[in-house]
Amino acid sequence: MVSRLVLVLGDQLTEGLASLKAADKVHDVVVMAEVADEAGYVPHHPKKIALVFAAMRKFAVRLHEDGWDVRYTRLDDPENAGSICGELLRRAEDTGASEVIATEPGEWRLINALQHCPLKVRLVEDDRFIASHAEFDQWAEGRKALRMEYFYRDMRRKTGLLMEGDAPVGGQWNFDHDNRKPARDEVSHAPIQFAPDDATQEVLDLVETWFSDNFGALRPFGFATDRDQALQALSHFVDHALPRFGDYQDAMLDGDRFLYHSLLSAYINIGLLNPLEVCQAVEKAYGQGDVPINAAEGFIRQVIGWREYVRGIYFREGPDYPTRNKLNHKRKLPSLYWGAETGMRCVAKAVAQTRYEAYAHHIQRLMVTGNFGLLAGIDPSALHEWYLSVYIDAFEWVEAPNTVGMSQFADGGIIASKPYVSSGNYINKMSDHCKHCAYSVTKKTGEQACPFNLLYWHFMDRHRDRFEGNPRMAQMYRTFDRMDADKRETILKEAQGFLDRMDAGEQV
């Protein structure tokens, strides 16, 4: 007699998952399913779908070998109900179970679906994170500003990572000033690639058939699809790329898609790697003298600082957070985000890389595609759906705060103290894209003027009432006001002309 169903989702592929720990291997049945609702609520990159499905299938085998009764539904199963709730109802009818144990999903959309499923569903908190909901809320309560840096320090104290008693190793919490070196044209260490085995190849063929119209190249596919491979990817990063990661983590190169980045985020986010074990491996490498402090601290901050922080924000702010639009930006997502030709080299390179790799690092997302979207006034919901669609590590709990809050300032300043906008100068400093661009980064007006230069002042002008009093932006308003009136008028006119051409579907 089956007592309960134990739901395991595609981003919960961890043997110590909370719902599995709460279940009885003898009497409970694990339910896993590839369903159209999850594969299609946004047009996910084919590589992302392939990674999740292949990893799910291998994880199901691993659970079965460990003694679990696993009922697994493939996408092309004729009896597939098409939704998670539908599959639970189908398995409940098959087994006689009326209760479901599920680890809390990372998206409000799916939490809502489970809460309205006509079965008794018990959600248990996902304890794969370092900070519980209660811990984050306790930290946030009563604070005027929820700045990540202070939360990060608490996570360092809690985990003991890079700590000497109560003090941070190296005498300071943050070495970010050492991690902003511009790119150098040199050979980097690309992430390890894995040749698809038979199980993965079968998934690739399925995805090729079902999702051929989705944006993104499915092949070649080299991602890790099980824990053993993910651990190899972690070791490869620590041994070969981590020593230089810190110096160049903000850099961009025209001919190098990865530099020294790890590409481990997807494996962490679907559960193949535990965030703490990843950070401990980085800390160990520092302790052995194999990597400098700025590299180790910079990486650990992204995981136990930023990753934990944005999850806390997502759940604290509630289901409406992804739809917020405090700047009232309404422009439709232009076709250049889907690969239409553009003369802006930085944007073209970021989008092309996204198409082929399902990956771009944080500066490409924040200061290129995100910066352009904010300057151009693109609807943040449209950008949110684009990021959620095209990146292999994108799940709403982590993607929405990064897009809506950090990138687009659409939450009104909960995450960021100022909008992350810049002219072309920042991109020129941190990359070599501008050397190959159809526009000139040094030109402020005229036909060849960098659109980021024009749109920067257009953004500042149209949001003057909101940001002129911001201490971190007041100087830029004084700079704008010191310009000759005719120059200001020319900049704003040319910026609007650029936006009008883009809206009309012309190549920009």
Side-chain angles (χ1 to χ4, degrees):
M1 176 67 180
V2 173
S3 298
R4 298 166 299 189
L5 303 178
V6 185
L7 177 64
V8 176
L9 298 170
D11 59 349
Q12 297 177 346
L13 309 181
T14 307
E15 290 184 58
L17 190 69
S19 52
L20 291 173
K21 288 188 292 188
D24 180 350
K25 192 181 295 186
V26 176
H27 298 105
D28 297 336
V29 167
V30 172
V31 175
M32 299 180 69
E34 305 163 7
V35 294
D37 272 9
E38 299 308 305
Y41 68 91
V42 294
H44 297 289
H45 197 294
K47 278 187 169 73
K48 180 181 181 182
I49 300 172
L51 169 66
V52 173
F53 283 3
M56 285 175 65
R57 293 184 183 188
K58 291 186 176 184
F59 187 70
V61 171
R62 193 158 180 155
L63 289 179
H64 176 74
E65 292 174 346
D66 194 38
W68 288 95
D69 181 354
V70 181
R71 310 294 173 93
Y72 191 97
T73 306
R74 296 190 173 195
L75 185 68
D76 54 1
D77 186 331
E79 297 185 3
N80 192 317
S83 69
I84 294 297
C85 184
E87 278 298 295
L88 289 172
L89 289 169
R90 188 165 75 90
R91 296 303 187 182
E93 184 177 355
D94 291 344
T95 62
S98 60
E99 182 180 348
V100 178
I101 305 174
T103 301
E104 180 185 69
E107 301 194 6
W108 286 111
R109 170 190 59 83
L110 195 47
I111 291 172
N112 181 67
L114 289 175
Q115 288 174 337
H116 288 86
C117 188
L119 291 168
K120 183 181 179 182
V121 179
R122 178 163 69 94
L123 296 180
V124 294
E125 186 166 351
D126 193 340
D127 60 6
R128 296 175 299 168
F129 292 86
I130 294 163
S132 67
H133 296 323
E135 284 177 307
F136 186 84
D137 288 343
Q138 183 179 11
W139 171 81
E141 193 65 35
R143 291 178 182 265
K144 293 182 179 179
L146 304 182
R147 297 294 170 249
M148 189 277 290
E149 178 65 27
Y150 301 105
F151 172 76
Y152 164 58
R153 294 179 185 184
D154 282 352
M155 292 300 96
R156 288 271 295 276
R157 295 184 184 101
K158 179 178 181 178
T159 61
L161 289 165
L162 296 180
M163 296 292 292
E164 294 176 335
D166 294 330
V169 168
Q172 59 193 65
W173 293 100
N174 188 315
F175 291 84
D176 206 30
H177 66 275
D178 296 327
N179 294 339
R180 293 169 180 160
K181 295 182 176 65
R184 296 192 303 182
D185 192 7
E186 59 181 41
V187 177
S188 63
H189 290 279
I192 189 172
Q193 298 285 300
F194 299 91
D197 55 19
D198 290 344
T200 302
Q201 189 61 59
E202 188 175 14
V203 168
L204 294 176
D205 293 341
L206 173 77
V207 172
E208 196 167 50
T209 299
W210 283 64
F211 303 99
S212 59
D213 292 336
N214 286 27
F215 172 86
L218 174 63
R219 304 174 196 265
F221 182 91
F223 285 95
T225 53
D226 58 47
R227 177 162 169 78
D228 291 341
Q229 290 180 341
L231 287 170
Q232 289 181 56
L234 170 59
S235 294
H236 185 273
F237 166 68
V238 171
D239 292 343
H240 298 289
L242 179 60
R244 308 294 294 278
F245 164 78
D247 290 345
Y248 301 112
Q249 66 173 290
D250 287 2
M252 297 172 284
L253 271 178
D254 212 62
D256 191 325
R257 293 175 176 174
F258 303 111
L259 281 86
Y260 299 96
H261 289 272
S262 72
L263 270 74
L264 297 177
S265 55
Y267 309 143
I268 299 173
N269 289 353
I270 67 173
L272 296 182
L273 294 175
N274 180 283
L276 190 56
E277 75 178 339
V278 171
C279 291
Q280 287 169 340
V282 170
E283 182 188 46
K284 181 180 179 181
Y286 166 72
Q288 293 173 340
D290 296 329
V291 302
I293 184 64
N294 66 305
E297 186 278 321
F299 185 88
I300 287 172
R301 176 159 28 94
Q302 289 188 2
V303 179
I304 70 166
W306 189 253
R307 183 176 185 269
E308 295 282 331
Y309 167 79
V310 296
R311 177 179 183 261
I313 292 291
Y314 177 77
F315 281 101
R316 181 176 174 81
E317 289 301 311
D320 75 315
Y321 186 83
T323 63
R324 295 185 189 175
N325 189 359
K326 292 292 186 180
L327 298 184
N328 198 33
H329 284 174
K330 300 292 187 181
R331 180 162 278 106
K332 292 181 179 180
L333 190 75
S335 58
L336 59 86
Y337 279 86
W338 299 111
E341 287 191 21
T342 174
M344 294 179 287
R345 183 76 172 188
C346 58
V347 174
K349 294 296 288 189
V351 172
Q353 174 176 323
T354 298
R355 178 195 291 275
Y356 290 111
E357 307 293 351
Y359 163 81
H361 72 65
H362 63 286
I363 294 299
Q364 293 170 302
R365 300 188 203 192
L366 178 64
M367 300 308 299
V368 178
T369 54
N371 184 22
F372 181 80
L374 184 55
L375 293 175
I378 296 170
D379 186 335
S381 292
L383 278 165
H384 155 62
E385 289 199 1
W386 184 77
Y387 282 105
L388 190 59
S389 299
V390 301
Y391 289 116
I392 200 161
D393 57 359
F395 296 88
E396 192 174 86
W397 65 266
V398 64
E399 177 277 326
N402 273 288
T403 302
V404 173
M406 184 68 170
S407 173
Q408 298 304 298
F409 206 81
D411 66 2
I414 293 171
I415 289 181
S417 59
K418 63 177 281 294
Y420 271 82
V421 289
S422 78
S423 66
N425 184 58
Y426 175 85
I427 296 168
N428 188 41
K429 176 185 176 183
M430 299 308 301
S431 79
D432 62 352
H433 293 322
C434 300
K435 296 177 182 177
H436 311 283
C437 189
Y439 296 100
S440 172
V441 71
T442 61
K443 291 190 176 180
K444 311 302 181 185
T445 58
E447 258 185 54
Q448 298 303 115
C450 171
F452 283 85
N453 293 343
L454 296 170
L455 295 176
Y456 177 80
W457 294 117
H458 192 273
F459 173 90
M460 298 289 283
D461 182 70
R462 70 179 186 265
H463 291 299
R464 179 184 280 269
D465 289 347
R466 178 182 288 271
F467 295 123
E468 189 173 22
N470 186 311
R472 298 183 64 193
M473 301 179 73
Q475 177 58 44
M476 298 313 297
Y477 280 103
R478 289 192 289 270
T479 298
F480 188 56
D481 291 342
R482 285 197 297 268
M483 292 181 190
D484 180 82
D486 289 342
K487 182 178 181 180
R488 292 199 302 268
E489 182 180 353
T490 298
I491 289 172
L492 298 179
K493 181 179 179 181
E494 291 185 0
Q496 188 59 53
F498 174 91
L499 294 172
D500 291 342
R501 292 192 300 277
M502 185 175 72
D503 290 344
E506 298 179 27
Q507 180 180 331
V508 293

